[in-house]
Structure formats: structure tokens, C-alpha cells
């Protein structure tokens, strides 16, 4: 049954992405501003989240929305745990502001999906460009933040299996420090029902916990990212304790020192 439900959801997404992409491309050809294109993409992402509930019994449970800034002039860099494709659909659907993902340019080659995100006002980079890629990130990130868009990044860089921790890279905190905006850590337990790169998904709840903004002024990128990492990983243990082995007294003490 889980296989059939997963197949139906995949087919549904493959069919529905076509008209939404064509709508985005048509608006682009007609010269519509990118601010018009984003709501079209967001509508499909929100519909995909609802379809995951309809077809596969997967639903989100969100806490911490009150931690997000309400000042329309306040930009933030969202730093999110990455376990599956689910959160890439979910974040634009639940956030009160327009989001810009930072993603590798290879995604632009995916038919329809890649064409859609390539038409939106987001940041695609070549990871092999090193410092030039970061300068592009800062330049475009500052422009987007100035116009009220929030930047979202996955600091581990790739999807991480349930109960594991990736290498947290400091690109997101470097961007926040250079642009003077706070970072917001986000924990997501999507791998509990939607394992990375798995075709068959299981019904259940995806817990999402949004932390309080952490100021970036006067901070070092590695030290700030370490604080983000400690918060996310501690929150992951709280939200999904069955996925992690018990902590030693030394580990528990270290975690308590970085709330």
C-alpha cells in the first residue's frame, strides 16, 4: 500500500508541475515581474504538501512560528536541517515572506522543475567557483534581503539520513554576517517518514521547530554556525529521540552548555 500511495503521489506531482511551470514560463515571456512568478510556484508547492497528506498520510506539525520577525524590513537567513525533499516544498508554503533558495546550478537542468526555479528570483551557484560563488551569493543575497525576501539555506549541503549529522558549512553564517541580518535555525524530522532518496514514503508527522533569531553582528562565521548546529541537533534529538542513541554524560553536559 505504501508503494502504491508513493507512486500515486509521484504521478500527481509529475502531472501538476507541467501546467504550473507553463504558467510561470508564459508570465516570464510576457514580461511579468518575478514577484508575480513566485506566488504561482508557491501555490504548487503548497498543493504538493497537501497532496502528500492526501496520498501518503504525511502532514507537518509546526512550532515556533512566533519566533519569526514581523517587521517587514527585517531580513533573515533561514538555516534548515535537510533530510528529504519534503522541506524544500514545505518552507515556501508556510513562511510569511517570499523565500529565495541558494542551490547548485545543476538543478536547473531538471525538466519543468528546474525551468521553474530558474525563472524565479533565487540564487544558483557553481560550487566549483569557490570565492567567486560566495561573492555572487553575497551580492545577490543583499539585493534580495533589501527587497524583503528571506534567504534559505541548508548548511549541511545535502540530505542527511535520519539520526545522523552532516558537516555544517559556514556559508549561511558568512552571508548573514556580511549582510548584517540574523540567522534563524530550523529543525525538521522529515526522514522519519520520507527518507532521503527513498521512493517509498510512510504515513506520519513531520515535526518542524523554528528557533529564535540569532544576531550576527560581531560574530565569527564558524562560531555562529557552531551555535546554529548545536541548537538544530539538540532540537532534532528532542523531536525525534528514537532516531538517536542515548547521550553520554559528557555529551549531555556539552549540549546543555549550548542551549
Amino acid at each position: 500500500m505504501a508503494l502504491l500511495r508513493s507512486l500515486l503521489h509521484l504521478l500527481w506531482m509529475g502531472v501538476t508541475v507541467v501546467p504550473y511551470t507553463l504558467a510561470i514560463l508564459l508570465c516570464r515571456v510576457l514580461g511579468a515581474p518575478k514577484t508575480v512568478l513566485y506566488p504561482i510556484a508557491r501555490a504548487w508547492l503548497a498543493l504538493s504538501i497537501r497532496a502528500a497528506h492526501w496520498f501518503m498520510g504525511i502532514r507537518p506539525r509546526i512550532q515556533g512560528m512566533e519566533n519569526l520577525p514581523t517587521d517587514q524590513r527585517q531580513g533573515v537567513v533561514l538555516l534548515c536541517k535537510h533530510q528529504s525533499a519534503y522541506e524544500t516544498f514545505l518552507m515556501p508554503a508556510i513562511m510569511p515572506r517570499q523565500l529565495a533558495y541558494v542551490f547548485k546550478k545543476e538543478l536547473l537542468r531538471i525538466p519543468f522543475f528546474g525551468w521553474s526555479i530558474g525563472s524565479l528570483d533565487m540564487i544558483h551557484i557553481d560550487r566549483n567557483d569557490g570565492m567567486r560563488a560566495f561573492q555572487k551569493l553575497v551580492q545577490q543575497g543583499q539585493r534580495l534581503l533589501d527587497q524583503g525576501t528571506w534567504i534559505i539555506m541548508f548548511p549541511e549541503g545535502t540530505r542527511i539520513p535520519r539520526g545522523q549529522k552532516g558537516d555544517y558549512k559556514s556559508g549561511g553564517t558568512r552571508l548573514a554576517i556580511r549582510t548584517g541580518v540574523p540567522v534563524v535555525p530550523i529543525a525538521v524530522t522529515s526522514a522519519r517518514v520520507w527518507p532521503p532518496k527513498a521512493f517509498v514514503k510512510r504515513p506520519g508527522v513531520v515535526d518542524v521547530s523554528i528557533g529564535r533569531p540569532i544576531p550576527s553582528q560581531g560574530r565569527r562565521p564558524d562560531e555562529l554556525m557552531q551555535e546554529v548546529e548545536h541548537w538544530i541537533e539538540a532540537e532534532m534529538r528532542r523531536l525525534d529521540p528514537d532516531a538517536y542513541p542515548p547521550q553520554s554524560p559528557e555529551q549531555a553536559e556539552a549540549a546543555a552548555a549550548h542551549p
Side-chain angles (χ1 to χ4, degrees):
M1 182 60 72
L3 174 61
L4 177 60
R5 289 163 69 124
S6 298
L7 178 60
L8 289 173
H9 181 252
L10 180 64
L11 291 173
W12 182 92
M13 291 185 65
V15 170
T16 57
V17 73
V18 175
Y20 279 90
T21 297
L22 292 178
I24 289 173
L25 295 177
L26 178 61
C27 290
R28 183 179 179 183
V29 169
L30 294 176
K34 290 185 177 180
T35 52
V36 173
L37 307 183
Y38 183 83
I40 300 174
R42 185 181 185 275
W44 180 75
L45 295 171
L47 194 58
S48 297
I49 292 299
R50 290 197 292 272
H53 190 192
W54 300 333
F55 288 108
M56 300 185 296
I58 297 174
R59 63 180 179 86
R61 180 168 57 197
I62 303 162
Q63 57 185 287
M65 290 292 289
E66 69 279 2
N67 291 328
L68 295 171
T70 56
D71 186 347
Q72 293 296 312
R73 298 167 297 179
Q74 179 62 66
V76 297
V77 174
L78 306 173
L79 298 176
C80 184
K81 183 73 176 180
H82 195 18
Q83 291 192 325
S84 76
Y86 186 82
E87 53 268 16
T88 64
F89 297 122
L90 179 66
M91 290 302 142
I94 66 173
M95 287 295 163
R97 300 276 284 279
Q98 180 168 324
L99 300 186
Y101 276 104
V102 179
F103 61 91
K104 56 186 179 181
K105 68 175 186 178
E106 288 80 6
L107 294 180
L108 298 173
R109 301 172 188 161
I110 301 175
F112 293 102
F113 180 79
W115 304 340
S116 294
I117 60 176
S119 300
L120 303 176
D121 205 359
M122 297 191 182
I123 306 172
H124 51 88
I125 59 175
D126 185 344
R127 292 178 174 177
N128 296 322
D129 275 354
M131 185 54 67
R132 283 199 306 171
F134 179 69
Q135 292 302 329
K136 177 182 179 181
L137 171 61
V138 171
Q139 184 180 43
Q140 295 193 20
Q142 184 70 71
R143 176 182 60 82
L144 289 164
L145 289 165
D146 287 345
Q147 68 187 36
T149 299
W150 289 352
I151 309 297
I152 181 167
M153 300 178 68
F154 299 117
E156 292 165 289
T158 189
R159 290 168 287 184
I160 304 298
R162 184 185 182 198
Q164 296 185 25
K165 180 174 73 71
D167 180 19
Y168 280 72
K169 301 172 180 63
S170 63
T173 52
R174 289 165 63 198
L175 172 64
I177 291 169
R178 287 282 295 271
T179 55
V181 301
V183 297
V184 173
I186 304 174
V188 182
T189 66
S190 57
R192 189 162 52 193
V193 296
W194 189 317
K197 301 180 181 179
F199 178 76
V200 178
K201 290 84 174 178
R202 301 182 297 272
V205 174
V206 175
D207 280 300
V208 178
S209 180
I210 302 169
R212 295 177 180 175
I214 305 173
S216 65
Q217 292 90 342
R219 305 292 295 273
R220 297 193 314 273
D222 55 344
E223 175 249 345
L224 179 55
M225 182 53 74
Q226 187 177 47
E227 182 175 347
V228 169
E229 176 183 343
H230 278 295
W231 188 92
I232 291 177
E233 294 303 321
E235 193 69 356
M236 292 298 296
R237 284 182 173 272
R238 185 184 72 83
L239 296 173
D240 192 12
D242 294 340
Y244 295 87
Q247 288 182 306
S248 67
E250 293 78 12
Q251 290 173 323
E253 183 178 354
H258 298 84

